[in-house]
Amino acid sequence: MTKQISAQAMKQAIRQRIIADREQLPAKLRTQFSREITARILLMPEYRVARKVLGYMSFGAEFISDDWAQQVLADGKQLLLPKVNLDTKELDLYCVTDLQHDLMPGLWDIREPLVERCAKADTLEELDFILMPGVAFSRDGARLGYGGGFYDKLIPRLPHRPTLAAAAYSMQIIAHLPQEATDRKVEWLLTENETINCGHHGK
């Protein structure tokens, strides 16, 4: 129990530090970095062959995902976006076709699909590529989210393993992240400087 509390305490300390540091990045720099990260994602063979893609709408000082999500639609792919289900404490996924009209600020003011405009994804079998949000990462693919565990619960629900990627500024990469049994690693980490193969394909 002490070890678990210690890991959670370490995670929270890292989370607070990285979020604070990220907030200090000038908006102009975040925009530039986000464009460079988007370009890297679009070059990935795994993305290029994907037909059904799960993304997210950014908030705060995160990687700005709007241009990438718009390009997913422009590339003729099916774009799924998450909506937090407060009853199940899990993510429900919806098909979005229009970023301007299909979204509305929801939980924590994050833009979420409007259920009256978007079809819920009943099956996740054809999901090929997931771009996951996160606060901090290590080069081995370890990921620190915001503490809700939504993606750690989503991944085991999938009938197969799609490509798991994450977008982050280079200042969000740290040497070591404490991991627990339920934590899920990403296979690819994309920053403004590099595309990192984390070496966890199919694991």
Side-chain angles (χ1 to χ4, degrees):
M1 186 70 176
T2 304
K3 185 177 180 182
Q4 183 180 10
I5 293 173
S6 175
Q8 291 177 354
M10 287 173 64
K11 285 182 175 182
Q12 186 59 18
I14 294 169
R15 188 178 287 120
Q16 291 174 344
R17 175 171 61 84
I18 296 295
I19 288 177
D21 289 348
R22 194 175 62 183
E23 293 281 351
Q24 296 302 310
L25 283 174
K28 186 175 180 180
L29 206 54
R30 292 202 305 265
T31 299
Q32 177 189 327
F33 288 170
S34 295
R35 286 175 181 158
E36 292 166 353
I37 293 168
T38 294
R40 288 185 178 278
I41 301 171
L42 298 179
L43 286 173
M44 291 180 66
E46 292 81 0
Y47 166 79
R48 294 168 77 93
V49 301
R51 291 171 297 175
K52 186 179 288 189
V53 174
L54 171 62
Y56 63 95
M57 299 313 294
S58 52
F59 80 108
E62 281 186 320
F63 155 75
I64 304 165
S65 62
D66 297 60
D67 286 350
W68 173 77
Q70 193 62 57
Q71 191 60 48
V72 172
L73 295 174
D75 288 341
K77 303 179 189 298
Q78 189 172 40
L79 175 64
L80 302 184
L81 292 177
K83 180 178 177 64
V84 174
N85 186 321
L86 293 175
D87 294 325
T88 63
K89 299 296 190 292
E90 293 184 346
L91 295 177
D92 290 339
L93 308 183
Y94 290 83
C95 301
V96 172
T97 59
D98 187 327
L99 296 182
Q100 187 174 352
H101 297 106
D102 288 356
L103 305 175
M104 186 175 182
L107 195 63
W108 303 302
D109 213 30
I110 300 171
R111 288 165 292 167
E112 294 184 335
L114 287 165
V115 296
E116 60 269 25
R117 286 187 58 91
C118 305
K120 187 176 179 181
D122 294 324
T123 175
L124 303 178
E125 289 181 3
E126 298 173 0
L127 190 55
D128 302 309
F129 185 95
I130 299 179
L131 187 68
M132 300 172 67
V135 175
F137 302 87
S138 58
R139 298 181 75 89
D140 66 350
R143 169 186 168 272
L144 177 65
Y146 291 89
F150 293 111
Y151 285 86
D152 292 328
K153 286 183 272 188
L154 172 68
I155 304 304
R157 287 166 49 197
L158 303 177
H160 69 292
R161 181 64 177 261
T163 298
L164 301 181
Y169 310 130
S170 56
M171 51 79 60
Q172 293 175 253
I173 299 179
I174 64 175
H176 174 71
L177 269 176
Q179 291 283 279
E180 297 170 84
T182 54
D183 292 335
R184 304 287 167 168
K185 291 187 175 183
V186 298
E187 299 162 4
W188 295 93
L189 186 53
L190 301 109
T191 77
E192 71 275 13
N193 295 324
E194 57 186 329
T195 298
I196 303 168
N197 183 340
C198 303
H200 288 277
H201 304 283
K203 294 183 182 178

